[in-house]
Amino acid sequence: CGTPVPSSGGLIAGYAHQKPPRVLVASRNFANDATFEIKKCDLHRLEEGPPVTTVLTREDGLRYYRMMQTVRRMELKADQLYKQKIIRGFCHLCDGQEACCVGLEAGINPTDHLITAYRAHGFTFTRGLSVREILAELTGRRGGCAKGKGGSMHMYAKNFYGGNGIVGAQVPLGAGIALACKYNGKDEVCLTLYGDGAANQGQIFEAYNMAALWKLPCIFICENNRYGMGTSVERAAASTDYYKRGDFIPGLRVDGMDILCVREATRFAAAHCRSGKGPILMELQTYRYHGHSMSDPGVSYRTREEIQEVRSKSDPIMLLKDRMVNSNLASVEELKEIDVEVRKEIEDAAQFATADPEPPLEELGYHIYSSDPPFEVRGANQWIKFKSIS
Amino acid sequence: MAAFAATAGGLLRLRAAGSEGQWRRLRGAGLLRGLLQPESATGVAAQRRHVAHFTFQPDPEPREYGQTQKMNLFQAITSALDNSLAKDPTAVIFGEDVAFGGVFRCTVGLRDKYGKDRVFNTPLCEQGIVGFGIGIAVTGATAIAEIQFADYIFPAFDQIVNEAAKYRYRSGDLFNCGSLTIRAPWGCVGHGALYHSQSPEAFFAHCPGIKVVVPRSPFQAKGLLLSCIEDKNPCIFFEPKILYRAAVEQVPVEPYNVPLSQAEVIQEGSDVTLVAWGTQVHVIREVAAMAQEKLGVSCEVIDLRTILPWDVDTVCKV
């Protein structure tokens, strides 16, 4: 079945302890791996791009499927909890974009770095946090990954720098992380993500220049889901070829709904950076089913037919499932079992996130500065004081 | 394209009030305790949740400006912008999502009425929006720029402080960008968290060359905004977002001006002066009433209105 393929690096450590799905029908023999054709990427300033075929092992396939399904169900659960007012504030969901977070993670190592904007729940999961910690952070409880103080847009994990609210502000940060990678000399890269709306922010171009000038190992990734809040790309950008917007930075345009395409492109981009050639830009063409945030129904600037069409023709989970079933890498029943297990995991996490207590009010003022000794912070009026400990 | 322009209703909930678009006014018991029992407040505060509380107090119907209409804050803003575009053929309005009416409905109907070359969207680039606005203003046209939330004004800080504020001074009055007005939704709303709640007027308050204005009500807002637009200096106009729907008053339909750099004494008093602006004026009014009732203290309540240059005389006057 082709040359041995290294198991895709860097799937979350926390996942290692999950028991592999039971094989229902003992006598059924699955293929160990299968070769698939993937779409050729459009290239900018590159002689050649990622390969157009890739090998997917059964083990990797099942893992990707489980991860994507987990992200999908987690986002849908967050939608439910929001509507029940258990999650408040802002909530930007990424269902439809699962191939991006899972595919990117499949192409890098856990020791690489990643920073993104506010549509970050999927990345928080793929970078190693549990669904429990994520949902509890959304509901603002102490069991949350940021102790309930960060919320939807401010989740962090090892080598994952958030979760950032201000559009475009995370890109120069990503270039800085890449500088640290180069400086430390450990062959690490930084994935710096932003959206199609953010692509028109000035600071992105400043980051491009610095990264190219100093040959930083930075992979700029534009997650183009066609709409910046309610504005379609044609109405916001003079050039919608986001992979070319880096000008002097080589770029590639990737089918962001096909996880294998994303994985191969990421491997290619990471190899480019690790070889010292400097930054590279990837545009992932993807789609979000939900609106911009939970306050946006998502249908006043696009038609339901469009959303339906993407769901039926390009859904990332469906595409992977069809490939695996048709190549005898897994059975429909097996994948359904995974669905059931994922549902249970999400249910348990949601229970936890709903029942866990909120952080105590005393902690409201903590961690403003790094300071020793503690100092007092004024609350909403002069007589309310919070102690700030850090 | 049609689908997008059709219902402002869908997008209006974008980033506006919480999931149902309702403004919550919650009891201010914590505030009361804090006022009367300062020593025990900390102990009590630790157990209570403290949330935003105020009751909007409308001013009496103004008689001197002709016919009035019941308007909330965003409608008063729309009315002011409508008057401006009608009076001044060079006036243009631009910013993120203003064309369909804006995320807070402040520009509803204006594009249809005045055309797409006068009311148009910009891409997502605050520094670009303000810089671009300065450019328009320098040629003499009236530029009304919108920053979608005051929290996002910081990429434009350099343009405002280093370019707009100093243009007239550094060119020896040869050039100026006085016909620039920047509008931004401002202030806490309860669920806005870090980036939809900020009140950044203090960052601009020490920058000579610009004016900073914060209205407390629809009537004040329309008059102050018209004054800002007509003022021959670049102005920043912060609109308390929590008042967009909660504040309803009778507002004149015709244009009128409320003077800049003039504070208003809302209530005279003899013991203590309370100075506030924006939403907090309504909190302070309640505090003044409580102080009179519970403590027998006579408070003078002043709405500063213009933060820069501020009306020192009215505040300090005996």
Side-chain angles (χ1 to χ4, degrees), chain A residues 15-281:
Chain A
Y15 232 46
H17 70 277
Q18 290 270 347
K19 55 182 191 346
R22 299 190 314 260
V23 177
L24 276 182
V25 184
S27 60
R28 172 101 174 248
N29 279 324
F30 293 109
N32 255 338
D33 54 51
T35 306
F36 295 104
E37 276 179 17
I38 50 177
K39 219 195 264 183
K40 189 172 185 313
C41 297
D42 294 325
L43 301 176
H44 171 68
R45 289 192 192 263
L46 284 167
E47 289 300 310
E48 41 177 67
V52 292
T53 60
T54 182
V55 176
L56 174 66
T57 66
R58 178 179 138 78
E59 193 191 331
D60 283 345
L62 289 170
R63 199 153 43 197
Y64 300 159
Y65 181 85
R66 179 183 287 266
M67 286 174 80
M68 289 206 284
Q69 194 66 275
T70 306
V71 173
R72 171 70 56 95
R73 296 248 69 91
M74 179 177 74
E75 295 295 78
L76 294 179
K77 177 55 74 175
D79 170 282
Q80 207 178 58
L81 290 172
Y82 194 94
K83 288 179 174 143
Q84 293 173 301
K85 298 220 196 182
I86 298 172
I87 296 178
R88 315 299 303 279
F90 297 95
C91 193
H92 306 86
L93 301 176
C94 67
D95 51 315
Q97 300 185 202
E98 296 86 357
C100 295
C101 51
V102 179
L104 284 171
E105 190 63 38
I108 54 170
N109 305 321
T111 47
D112 290 318
H113 307 262
L114 195 149
I115 186 171
T116 185
Y118 46 76
R119 204 172 298 284
H121 307 160
F123 291 103
T124 316
F125 175 72
T126 53
R127 283 262 92 191
L129 291 189
S130 66
V131 181
R132 263 165 82 98
E133 288 172 286
I134 296 173
L135 286 182
E137 186 58 41
L138 287 176
T139 55
R141 310 300 166 97
R142 359 182 144 193
C145 51
K147 307 189 178 75
K149 285 173 77 173
S152 165
M153 292 193 276
H154 306 112
M155 300 189 191
Y156 302 86
K158 186 164 195 311
N159 295 341
F160 173 57
Y161 303 85
N164 292 281
I166 299 293
V167 172
Q170 74 279 8
V171 179
L173 263 73
I177 297 167
L179 178 77
C181 291
K182 181 168 175 164
Y183 190 90
N184 287 330
K186 291 197 238 157
D187 228 17
E188 293 162 5
V189 298
C190 180
L191 273 57
T192 303
L193 287 94
Y194 55 94
D196 46 278
N200 301 315
Q201 272 275 333
Q203 47 194 327
I204 308 245
F205 295 90
E206 294 182 13
Y208 288 162
N209 186 49
M210 288 192 281
L213 190 62
W214 300 323
K215 289 203 163 29
L216 304 180
C218 187
I219 307 178
F220 292 103
I221 300 169
C222 178
E223 259 183 307
N224 177 5
N225 58 21
R226 306 195 215 167
Y227 299 94
M229 202 161 83
T231 305
S232 67
V233 293
E234 303 82 47
R235 290 193 301 114
S239 161
T240 55
D241 291 332
Y242 293 100
Y243 70 110
K244 291 186 185 167
R245 298 275 289 266
D247 190 12
F248 36 79
I249 296 182
L252 53 154
R253 180 153 58 191
V254 181
D255 179 0
M257 302 306 265
D258 176 359
I259 189 185
L260 297 179
C261 217
V262 176
R263 181 183 76 172
E264 284 314 309
T266 310
R267 284 179 175 161
F268 175 86
H272 181 275
C273 286
R274 285 191 231 277
S275 67
K277 296 200 186 105
I280 190 169
L281 208 163

Side-chain angles (χ1 to χ4, degrees), chain A residues 82 85 88-90 153-154 164-167 197-198 200-203 206 228-231 235-237 292-293 295-297 299-303 358 361-362 380-381 383-386, chain B residues 1 3-5 7 10-11 13-15 18-20 24 30-31 34-35 38 41-42 45-50 97 103 121 123-127 148 151-152 155 191-192 194-196:
Chain A
Y82 194 94
K85 298 220 196 182
R88 315 299 303 279
F90 297 95
M153 292 193 276
H154 306 112
N164 292 281
I166 299 293
V167 172
N200 301 315
Q201 272 275 333
Q203 47 194 327
E206 294 182 13
M229 202 161 83
T231 305
R235 290 193 301 114
H292 164 74
S293 71
S295 326
D296 169 26
V299 288
S300 45
Y301 48 86
R302 53 185 191 173
T303 62
E358 288 179 350
L361 193 58
E362 293 87 59
N381 66 53
W383 297 280
I384 301 173
K385 298 266 196 241
F386 298 104
Chain B
M1 267 302 191
F4 137 83
T7 35
L11 261 173
R13 275 178 284 139
L14 266 177
R15 293 184 182 176
S19 38
E20 260 73 54
R24 290 171 48 176
L31 180 68
L35 178 62
T42 317
Q47 274 88 59
R48 299 193 66 84
R49 279 184 75 178
H50 289 269
D97 298 307
V103 290
N121 286 337
L124 217 171
C125 46
E126 287 74 20
Q127 184 172 25
Q148 195 155 75
D151 313 55
Y152 309 153
H191 58 276
L194 295 171
Y195 302 118
H196 293 77

Side-chain angles (χ1 to χ4, degrees), chain B residues 49-161:
Chain B
R49 279 184 75 178
H50 289 269
V51 290
H53 161 80
F54 71 96
T55 307
F56 172 71
Q57 307 197 17
D59 287 323
E61 182 180 349
R63 301 268 170 215
E64 62 270 45
Y65 299 111
Q67 195 199 7
T68 66
Q69 194 183 311
K70 193 156 100 156
M71 293 188 209
N72 60 29
L73 184 66
F74 74 72
Q75 289 164 337
I77 303 288
T78 316
S79 176
L81 295 174
D82 193 352
N83 291 150
S84 293
L85 265 63
K87 276 197 298 178
D88 178 351
T90 71
V92 288
I93 300 175
F94 51 94
E96 292 158 26
D97 298 307
V98 298
F100 86 93
V103 290
F104 290 110
R105 309 188 97 181
C106 295
T107 49
V108 168
L110 296 178
R111 185 175 164 103
D112 289 338
K113 193 166 173 187
Y114 295 103
K116 60 182 168 56
D117 52 335
R118 294 185 72 189
V119 180
F120 54 91
N121 286 337
T122 60
L124 217 171
C125 46
E126 287 74 20
Q127 184 172 25
I129 291 169
V130 173
F132 179 78
I134 295 171
I136 294 179
V138 167
T139 68
T142 301
I144 306 168
E146 176 180 299
I147 298 290
Q148 195 155 75
F149 281 83
D151 313 55
Y152 309 153
I153 205 166
F154 301 110
F157 198 84
D158 173 69
Q159 285 286 343
I160 294 170
V161 165

Side-chain angles (χ1 to χ4, degrees), chain B residues 257-311:
Chain B
N257 290 90
V258 170
L260 299 184
S261 292
Q262 252 190 51
E264 186 180 348
V265 179
I266 298 180
Q267 182 184 302
E268 304 224 356
S270 51
D271 296 331
V272 156
T273 304
L274 306 175
V275 183
W277 53 89
T279 318
Q280 201 68 359
V281 172
H282 305 290
V283 177
I284 290 293
R285 271 169 140 160
E286 228 176 296
V287 167
M290 284 202 305
Q292 180 68 68
E293 194 194 320
K294 314 267 182 189
L295 304 173
V297 170
S298 159
C299 298
E300 179 140 312
V301 177
I302 300 184
D303 177 5
L304 200 58
R305 302 198 293 197
T306 301
I307 310 302
L308 175 75
W310 64 283
D311 186 356

Side-chain angles (χ1 to χ4, degrees), chain A residues 298-339:
Chain A
V299 288
S300 45
Y301 48 86
R302 53 185 191 173
T303 62
R304 287 186 207 271
E305 288 77 45
E306 180 186 286
I307 306 172
Q308 227 357 79
E309 189 178 348
V310 176
R311 246 192 229 277
S312 56
K313 298 220 182 91
S314 321
D315 183 277
I317 300 179
M318 175 193 81
L319 289 180
L320 179 65
K321 175 168 155 187
D322 288 347
R323 271 183 161 150
M324 288 184 65
V325 168
N326 294 340
S327 314
N328 199 30
L329 286 177
S331 69
V332 173
E333 295 79 30
E334 193 177 10
L335 296 179
K336 273 208 172 56
E337 269 229 354
I338 296 183
D339 290 350

